[in-house]
Amino acid sequence: MYLGLDLGTSGVKALLIDAGQTVIGSGHASLDVSRPHPGWSEQDPSHWIRACEEAISELRASFPSHLAAVKGIGLSGQMHGATLLDSADKVLRPCILWNDTRSHAEAAALDADPRFRKLTGNIVFPGFTAPKLAWVKNNEPAVFAKVAKVLLPKDFLRLWLSGEHISEMSDSAGTSWLDVGKRHWSADLLAATSLDERQMPSLVEGTQKAGALRAELAAKWGMQAGIPIAGGAGDNAASACGMGTVGAGHAFVSLGTSGVLFAANASYLPNPASAVHTFCHALPNTWHQMGVILSATDSLNWLSEISGKGAGELTAELGDTLKAPSGVSFLPYLSGERTPYNDSAIRGAFTGLAHESSRAVLTQAVLEGVALAFRDSLEALAKAGTTLTRVTAIGGGSRSRYWLKSIATALGLPVDIPADGDFGAAFGAARLGLIAATGADPLSICTAPATDATIEPDAALGGVYADAYQRYRALYPAIKGATA
């Protein structure tokens, strides 16, 4: 058996697979996010440990003998979070999360230093880790003075599981401290934030062993002490391992809280000006690019909350047949936007509203707005040298066939729906645990699932969707400055 642990923003998932990669069972525990000020987003790292304990306990209650047979563990987690520890590994303050935008001024200052884009291949986004440390130095100097280690969220779980300060390439690429092309920490970039390599975890590839399970926890869970823990991956790279999106040209579109258009690359292809993320993949000598939308299903959930109707009820009102855009447009910038604008201040908007704009019209506009935001990411990937011919859909929003038809038509690409199964980040983490424990060839393990169905673009609506995209593109400059 192999165990995958995924530390998400809203919960921890523990997933068991067997040697044939069949999912045996899973456990889950929820997490809350604290927002003490506008634009802030934090979690107490002790809550991650509590949630991990609960998820594993749920798994153990149903599959005790299977848990006892675990031979490898893999970790996945939300990226960019700044978990600050003192010299005794005590947490100094709540973790500043990926969707926290307080450090926008610090991010802009670091991004103005040309070394950051040159070495990391990325814009310094406010959500990345380095500007968070610059903010702590500027605003909480007593805390900053005590920082002995900076860990990403999943690597704090690793510290608890194994006692080791270790990270891996895919997650560390999102800190703004990694030389992404050479896959090691940059002393120059660390020094730019008054840090050095002694305050960073050591680095391995996601497929390599990175610690072993402590005897105390093994005894508590009925597992073997010393089980190898894989380097693992950031959540999107782990999902890519679960989906088999590891070879050049392979891609997926993720409709989760945020939206991601993810493409695997066989070489390092940075183009920071496009606001595409260029990160190391979890497999050696492999990279990936991502266009990121900050509010994907979050946009539909927002409409659901204010309309008093469930998200499923809203999409059901649209029926099964894709409709032509109505002229009402929605910009899904509820918490700013990453690709292609890197704008934490921009906010969302409906335009073109009229007396006849029904709830169904607003729902349609929200789905189209997210689909057209993915088109923005596709265009940005193209500018960064990546051409896609099809994508696979994952995430909770992919249950809506209407939404997938809208995305396929907006992208002009077929969208594959995987056969039933769990191919998310926890599954990818379990695969990495298997590779680290057995030495198996990563490409033979990280294979793609069977395709259940393919959603083709609606050729009859291609022209009006192209017109809607041009209208959508014109709206950002029109509202910039008016919504901040």
Side-chain angles (χ1 to χ4, degrees), residues 14 51-62 67 220-221:
C52 191
E53 292 258 31
E54 289 180 11
I56 292 176
S57 294
E58 181 183 333
L59 201 54
R60 187 185 179 203
S62 301
L67 207 58
K220 180 190 293 189
W221 298 329

Side-chain angles (χ1 to χ4, degrees), residues 318-402:
L318 299 179
D320 296 325
T321 303
L322 187 66
K323 297 174 174 59
S326 68
V328 175
S329 298
F330 174 72
L331 303 182
Y333 309 146
L334 300 181
S335 56
E337 192 56 295
R338 288 264 184 97
T339 308
Y341 300 117
N342 181 30
D343 190 338
S344 62
I346 194 72
R347 288 298 179 262
F350 278 111
T351 66
L353 295 173
H355 288 294
E356 60 271 21
S357 299
S358 64
R359 183 174 63 213
V361 167
L362 298 188
T363 301
Q364 180 185 342
V366 167
L367 302 191
E368 288 169 1
V370 172
L372 295 172
F374 278 121
R375 173 66 182 269
D376 268 347
S377 288
L378 182 71
E379 297 292 334
L381 284 174
K383 290 178 182 177
T386 294
T387 301
L388 303 181
T389 57
R390 64 192 314 114
V391 296
T392 300
I394 63 172
S398 66
R399 290 191 292 269
S400 168
R401 293 294 178 100
Y402 186 99

